[in-house]
Amino acid sequence: MIEKVQPAGPLVRVEGLSKSFGSHEVLKGIDLEVMPGEVATIIGASGSGKSTLLRCMNLLEVPDAGHVWFHGQDLASSRVNVNRLREKIGMCFQGFNLFNNRDVLDNCTLAPVTLKKMGREQAEELALSRLGEVGMEEFAHARPATLSGGQKQRVAIARALCMQPDLMLFDEPTSALDPEIVGEVLAVMRQLAQGGMTMVVVTHEMSFARNVSDRVVFMDQGVIAEQGSPEKIFGSPEQPRTREFLSRYLERPSA
C-alpha cells in the first residue's frame, strides 16, 4: 500500500496531538504547522507542555492521540520508517547528552558513520566543518568533560548538524548554562536561523523569541493559547494569559 502523503506545504504539521502521563493530561489536542525555513519559538510557564510537545514531534514521547506529519508523512503510521525520517530531525537537549567516553570529533561522527553508513574520512571532514561553524573546531580532540557548558552545547549543535537535518528542535538549550555563556549558544542559533534552517525552539530567552523568531507560540496548561508574529505576541497579545506571562519578562506589561 502506498503511504498517504500530505500536499506540499508545512515541513511539520501537528494535528490533534494529545499526551498524558498517568492521570495528568499534558497536551490537549495541539494543532501546529511549521513552514520550511521558519523559526518557531515556543514559550510558556514551566509545566505548560512545551518540552512534551517538542519530544512528541520526533516521537521521543509517543502521543496518545493525534498525528505528526513530517515531509508529508505521518510519523504515527505503522507503515512509515520512523528512524529514517528522524535522521532528518536534529535535537538539542538541556543536558547536552554528549558521550563522555568519546572525544568531540567522535561524538560528531558516530551517527553519520553508524546510521548513514558514511565513510570515516568523509564523516570527519563533515564534522570538522560543522565544528568550525560553531567555533569548536580547535576542540575536536577534547573530551566533553573538559569543556564549559556553552562549549558542550555548541558541540551538541554541531553533532546534530552532522546528520544534515531538515529540521532542528531545541529543548531549552540555554537553561542549564551560566548566564555569561548563554550568548555564545544563542549566537550559533541565530546563525542557523539566518542560514534558513527550519527550527522549533522551546525557550525562556524572550529576547531570542522576540528578535529571531518568525512566529511565537504561547502555550498554557497543555494548549496553544495564542500564536503569531513576534510583533503581535510581544506588542499586542490578545489573551490575558499571554499578557500575564509576558509581564514577568518585559520591562512593563503589554497593554
Side-chain angles (χ1 to χ4, degrees):
M1 180 181 295
I2 298 176
E3 178 62 28
K4 179 182 176 183
V5 174
Q6 290 284 81
L11 179 63
V12 181
R13 183 174 181 177
V14 176
E15 298 178 334
L17 202 68
S18 298
K19 177 67 179 179
S20 296
F21 296 98
S23 61
H24 179 45
E25 190 177 14
V26 179
L27 300 178
K28 306 171 183 177
I30 299 291
D31 295 321
L32 179 67
E33 293 185 350
V34 182
M35 301 301 293
E38 184 177 22
V39 178
T41 53
I42 304 177
I43 63 173
S46 297
S48 59
K50 308 183 302 296
S51 291
T52 300
L53 172 58
L54 202 73
R55 291 172 68 85
C56 284
M57 289 175 69
N58 67 352
L59 297 193
L60 286 177
E61 296 287 353
V62 179
D64 298 325
H67 302 272
V68 178
W69 299 88
F70 176 62
H71 273 306
Q73 294 186 286
D74 186 0
L75 296 183
S77 171
S78 61
R79 298 185 297 273
V80 166
N81 186 332
V82 173
N83 290 329
R84 180 60 57 86
L85 280 179
R86 283 198 300 198
E87 290 179 8
K88 288 294 185 180
I89 303 176
M91 180 96 182
C92 287
F93 303 87
Q94 297 178 38
F96 324 127
N97 290 16
L98 298 176
F99 296 107
N100 288 320
N101 62 334
R102 296 174 177 269
D103 67 16
V104 164
L105 188 62
D106 280 346
N107 266 275
C108 292
T109 58
L110 181 62
V113 169
T114 304
L115 300 178
K116 287 197 166 185
K117 310 303 181 186
M118 189 180 292
R120 167 64 64 177
E121 185 176 342
Q122 181 185 0
E124 289 189 352
E125 182 179 348
L126 176 62
L128 289 171
S129 174
R130 295 295 182 259
L131 287 167
E133 290 171 12
V134 302
M136 290 298 294
E137 185 176 6
E138 66 182 284
F139 296 92
H141 297 294
R143 293 281 179 166
T146 67
L147 304 178
S148 70
Q151 290 171 331
K152 289 177 182 177
Q153 193 60 285
R154 284 189 282 157
V155 170
I157 293 171
R159 178 179 63 178
L161 292 175
C162 284
M163 289 297 287
Q164 301 172 300
D166 296 330
L167 170 69
M168 285 287 291
L169 306 178
F170 293 88
D171 186 9
E172 299 192 26
T174 60
S175 66
L177 303 179
D178 292 332
E180 62 269 21
I181 58 177
V182 165
E184 66 186 55
V185 173
L186 294 180
V188 169
M189 294 171 64
R190 287 189 182 95
Q191 180 181 326
L192 285 178
Q194 292 166 359
M197 174 64 72
T198 308
M199 299 164 58
V200 181
V201 184
V202 170
T203 185
H204 288 294
E205 299 290 339
M206 294 299 109
S207 62
F208 181 89
R210 190 170 195 169
N211 298 320
V212 182
S213 303
D214 297 299
R215 184 152 47 100
V216 180
V217 178
F218 172 63
M219 289 190 66
D220 183 66
Q221 298 181 19
V223 302
I224 293 177
E226 188 169 359
Q227 62 178 305
S229 68
E231 294 77 17
K232 175 181 179 295
I233 297 301
F234 287 95
S236 55
E238 297 177 357
Q239 299 298 321
R241 289 179 291 178
T242 314
R243 293 196 292 269
E244 179 185 358
F245 173 79
L246 290 176
S247 70
R248 303 179 224 159
Y249 292 93
L250 303 178
E251 292 184 358
R252 57 186 178 85
S254 298

